[in-house]
Amino acid sequence: MRKLIFIVIFPFLFSGCSIYSQRAINPVYSNIGSFLHYYEGIQNRLYGNLGNAVNNFKSALELEPENDAIYYELGNCYNMLNMPDSAIHYLAQAVQINPNNKHYRNLYGALLINLGKFDEALQNQKHLVKIDSLNVNYRFQLVLLYSQLKEFDNALKELHRIENEVGYNTRLAEVKLRIYLQNNDINNALAEANSIIKIEPDNPLYHIYKSEIYFKLGEDSLALSILENAANLDPLSPQVNIQLYQRYMQLGNYKEAFAKLVPLFADTLIGPDEKVQLFYPLLFEQKLYADYAQQIDSLVSTLNTQYPDNIFVYELLYEHYIRRQNLTKAREVLQILTLIDDTNYKRWEKFISFDYSTQNFDSVISNSSKAANLFPKQSIFYILKALVLDELDRTNEAIEVLKTNVNSIQNSEDKAEMLCVLGDYYYKENVFRKAFLTYEKALKCNPNSTRVLNNYSYYLALQNFRLKKALQMSSKAVDLDPNNPTFIDTKGWVLFKLGRYEEARDVLRNAIAKSSNPSAEINEHYGDALFMTGNKQNAYIYWKKAQTLSGGSEKLNKKIRTQEYVP
């Protein structure tokens, strides 16, 4: 059963919304009292000139800072401008000055609920009930807030009081039933469900509740038969059919699940977002893609036809094509997403990263340049372009891309990452001084960048240069990310270079243990440390392991041939 969220829409949220097109109102009054600013603000609000209205009300507020009506109107305007934080700020002031105004508290409470500030909304609602204890709607909202905050006893007490005053009705009973289900009070929930069904036996919603109770009790067959009976009552009910689809999926009744899902996808009353949510569980059942490939393809085609411009549908299409191993189609979808939503740099990043992973290097270079023009402050596009240029043995061009654009990056962490890549390439080109200076710049941007700390310390160790600093940095990287075998290996190798062989051996053993598939480099380093601590037989074993992998040093073969460490 999907989680039910209580949503209460207050009609006065929309008061003051104008049906007229926006037109300017020439100011008539100037510095002649708060009332005239207030009046002009009301006129501007009614005509939809909300920015002008806000200015009018603020001018009025300067002249009369304790006027609750002005604070309320400011809150109302900011709400209409979809600026809830500002709206709540001014409404709180209005409520503070005039705590017994129901209109203020109604809007204030609605906005608190919309922002998920349920504790504050509850206190506000309690005050509303004190102001007007005969208003059943206020008390009913109080019940919903108690329930939202899991104060189930208080919710039930208030519900019983309302029920004693207005009599039994299914709306109150339904809320009571939901509270019993939330509180896992199965016996009372079942009794309430049976009571409601006696009054409204043809309402499928109440049968859904009853089926959920039996699913909770582990009586799946009975629960399923109740759901199927609900479907017989209303065969076209989306709620019932969604429930049946989800239960069939949970129980592994995939044939029945697809029988329900196909008409749900054809139902135009169900929106694209909900259809996408219904489809997503299929993505994580690889067996379904093998056994029901044709049906799944048909569902995806239906979605694409119904919603040709929906971003969430295209995101689903991408996941679908990946599982179908249709990389061409997957790439097409990513490209379409960049066209539909070209202001979202993450979509460009995903598209270009996809090309990088499939070694479509020409496209990476071209699209990285396009994306960098669109998003010049995003480092990832310069880095992706540089990575490809380096793989094409055009490292000097990669250096130029990074060096030219690094100062356009404002985010310090991103800038540190970009400088780290630049430092790596300087080192690769044997420009060691520039490499180390670049790493220093990177650490000024982000002193806790584990990648910078690791790479800088490793390359210092390779050059036998400033080894104490290298140990400090590599130790910090391991402290920040203690489960990263590469960082642990670097620390071990720095210790090895310092001649602290036993410590190096212990640290490198940890690197081996933390890695599910140790690299050639880690195996070779561990072999070196074993050799230097007298365990020559095992050193040879780890050198041989390194040999079977790629990435060992140029001296590895000689170590194996001579069975001696080669410095």
Side-chain angles (χ1 to χ4, degrees):
M1 181 74 179
R2 291 171 300 162
K3 183 179 179 182
L4 294 165
I5 300 173
F6 301 137
I7 299 175
V8 179
I9 299 175
F10 293 83
F12 53 76
L13 279 174
F14 305 100
S15 65
C17 293
S18 174
I19 61 173
Y20 302 104
S21 60
Q22 183 171 337
R23 61 192 179 101
I25 292 183
N26 295 322
V28 179
Y29 308 107
S30 175
N31 298 322
I32 56 174
S34 67
F35 172 76
L36 296 179
H37 287 299
Y38 177 82
Y39 176 78
E40 192 172 352
I42 295 292
Q43 292 296 307
N44 270 314
R45 175 172 64 74
L46 289 172
Y47 281 101
N49 300 322
L50 298 175
N52 290 340
V54 166
N55 291 333
N56 296 140
F57 292 131
K58 285 186 175 179
S59 295
L61 198 62
E62 288 177 4
L63 297 171
E64 200 171 349
E66 295 300 317
N67 190 315
D68 52 286
I70 300 172
Y71 282 107
Y72 171 77
E73 285 297 341
L74 276 167
N76 193 16
C77 285
Y78 278 118
N79 175 49
M80 295 166 72
L81 287 165
N82 196 28
M83 299 172 67
D85 290 331
S86 295
I88 283 177
H89 169 75
Y90 285 105
L91 287 168
Q93 296 294 318
V95 166
Q96 185 176 358
I97 296 169
N98 188 353
N100 293 327
N101 187 301
K102 293 188 287 187
H103 297 295
Y104 299 175
R105 285 196 175 274
N106 273 322
L107 182 54
Y108 181 50
L111 292 178
L112 288 172
I113 290 170
N114 288 341
L115 289 180
K117 297 182 176 183
F118 298 114
D119 288 310
E120 295 171 61
L122 177 63
Q123 298 309 312
N124 181 70
Q125 199 65 30
K126 285 180 179 179
H127 202 101
L128 267 173
V129 171
K130 285 181 182 178
I131 296 169
D132 188 356
S133 61
L134 297 179
N135 189 316
V136 174
N137 289 328
Y138 289 171
R139 293 166 64 190
F140 188 68
Q141 180 67 60
L142 182 62
V143 169
L144 298 182
L145 284 166
Y146 276 136
S147 179
Q148 178 68 42
L149 292 167
K150 301 189 186 309
E151 295 186 27
F152 299 122
D153 288 342
N154 287 330
L156 289 169
K157 285 176 185 176
E158 189 62 42
L159 263 180
H160 287 134
R161 281 194 287 265
I162 296 171
E163 197 171 63
N164 289 336
E165 293 174 20
V166 304
Y168 182 90
N169 70 62
T170 53
R171 178 72 179 111
L172 293 174
E174 182 187 338
V175 174
K176 199 190 304 181
L177 169 56
R178 290 203 301 249
I179 291 172
Y180 286 139
L181 285 171
Q182 282 181 284
N183 202 24
N184 208 29
D185 187 347
I186 300 301
N187 291 332
N188 278 321
L190 185 57
E192 204 66 46
N194 286 328
S195 297
I196 301 174
I197 290 170
K198 282 181 182 179
I199 297 171
E200 293 191 35
D202 295 330
N203 189 326
L205 175 63
Y206 303 136
H207 293 273
I208 292 175
Y209 286 133
K210 188 172 180 178
S211 74
E212 181 178 352
I213 294 167
Y214 281 109
F215 275 119
K216 282 178 175 288
L217 290 169
E219 298 186 32
D220 293 348
S221 297
L222 178 56
L224 201 56
S225 69
I226 294 170
L227 262 185
E228 288 167 346
N229 181 54
N232 292 331
L233 293 171
D234 186 357
L236 299 179
S237 167
Q239 256 187 316
V240 176
N241 288 312
I242 287 170
Q243 288 296 317
L244 272 170
Y245 161 70
Q246 291 174 334
R247 292 299 183 181
Y248 284 141
M249 285 292 294
Q250 290 170 9
L251 296 170
N253 299 346
Y254 298 131
K255 184 177 180 181
E256 292 86 348
F258 276 100
K260 289 295 176 185
L261 190 57
V262 170
L264 285 170
F265 267 49
D267 190 341
T268 56
L269 296 177
I270 301 175
D273 294 355
E274 188 159 14
K275 289 177 182 176
V276 167
Q277 289 176 5
L278 291 172
F279 187 94
Y280 258 101
L282 304 180
L283 293 172
F284 304 102
E285 295 286 349
Q286 196 59 45
K287 188 175 186 301
L288 293 180
Y289 267 81
D291 297 343
Y292 296 91
Q294 188 173 348
Q295 291 95 321
I296 292 174
D297 286 342
S298 177
L299 290 171
V300 167
S301 177
T302 298
L303 267 183
N304 198 17
T305 302
Q306 289 176 332
Y307 313 105
D309 299 318
N310 186 283
I311 287 173
F312 300 113
V313 169
Y314 275 105
E315 287 177 342
L316 177 65
L317 288 175
Y318 168 74
E319 298 293 343
H320 166 70
Y321 287 130
I322 288 294
R323 278 149 186 79
R324 296 287 277 144
Q325 299 183 350
N326 189 337
L327 299 184
T328 301
K329 281 286 187 183
R331 184 183 184 278
E332 286 177 11
V333 169
L334 289 178
Q335 188 166 24
I336 290 169
L337 278 168
T338 65
L339 298 173
I340 293 175
D341 188 15
D342 65 355
T343 61
N344 187 330
Y345 84 90
K346 285 289 185 182
R347 301 201 188 285
W348 280 90
E349 180 183 345
K350 192 171 184 178
F351 176 43
I352 297 168
S353 297
F354 181 89
D355 277 340
Y356 181 78
S357 67
T358 56
Q359 297 190 325
N360 188 356
F361 291 156
D362 288 341
S363 177
V364 172
I365 292 172
S366 171
N367 286 315
S368 291
S369 297
K370 290 178 185 176
N373 287 331
L374 289 170
F375 313 100
K377 296 178 182 179
Q378 297 298 331
S379 62
I380 185 63
F381 303 116
Y382 306 115
I383 291 173
L384 284 167
K385 185 175 183 178
L387 290 172
V388 167
L389 290 170
D390 177 61
E391 291 207 32
L392 295 173
D393 294 327
R394 294 159 61 182
T395 306
N396 285 327
E397 291 179 58
I399 288 172
E400 195 61 32
V401 167
L402 297 170
K403 184 174 66 173
T404 303
N405 296 289
V406 69
N407 289 328
S408 66
I409 309 304
Q410 294 181 348
N411 180 284
S412 59
E413 292 183 2
D414 291 346
K415 189 170 186 176
E417 182 69 18
M418 194 164 164
L419 285 166
C420 183
V421 179
L422 179 59
D424 293 346
Y425 291 155
Y426 276 136
Y427 189 89
K428 183 178 180 180
E429 293 297 295
N430 296 321
V431 189
F432 302 136
R433 185 172 181 277
K434 279 190 176 181
F436 297 149
L437 287 173
T438 303
Y439 289 135
E440 290 288 348
K441 289 179 183 178
L443 287 176
K444 286 180 181 177
C445 294
N446 183 11
N448 293 323
S449 170
T450 52
R451 211 173 93 80
V452 178
L453 290 165
N454 178 76
N455 291 15
Y456 189 9
S457 55
Y458 185 67
Y459 289 138
L460 285 175
L462 289 182
Q463 294 301 310
N464 283 311
F465 182 60
R466 301 185 70 185
L467 292 177
K468 289 183 179 179
K469 179 181 178 67
L471 182 59
Q472 289 175 347
M473 292 192 296
S474 62
S475 297
K476 184 175 180 180
V478 172
D479 289 341
L480 291 167
D481 190 355
N483 294 315
N484 189 309
T486 300
F487 297 167
I488 299 170
D489 171 70
T490 296
K491 180 179 179 179
W493 190 239
V494 173
L495 286 166
F496 184 91
K497 286 287 190 173
L498 283 165
R500 294 159 62 173
Y501 300 125
E502 291 186 356
E503 292 175 75
R505 177 199 61 203
D506 294 342
V507 170
L508 290 165
R509 184 190 297 122
N510 188 28
I512 293 280
K514 289 288 175 71
S515 176
S516 57
N517 188 23
S519 67
E521 194 171 43
I522 294 176
N523 277 300
E524 184 178 359
H525 287 166
Y526 186 45
D528 293 346
L530 287 170
F531 185 92
M532 298 304 287
T533 54
N535 195 340
K536 297 182 179 181
Q537 185 176 356
N538 281 335
Y540 179 77
I541 291 172
Y542 278 93
W543 288 337
K544 288 291 288 183
K545 284 183 180 180
Q547 190 181 45
T548 62
L549 306 167
S550 59
S553 73
E554 296 176 355
K555 301 171 183 177
L556 178 60
N557 289 334
K558 187 174 181 181
K559 293 176 188 176
I560 293 169
R561 188 175 66 254
T562 62
Q563 297 189 31
E564 294 286 340
Y565 172 70
V566 180

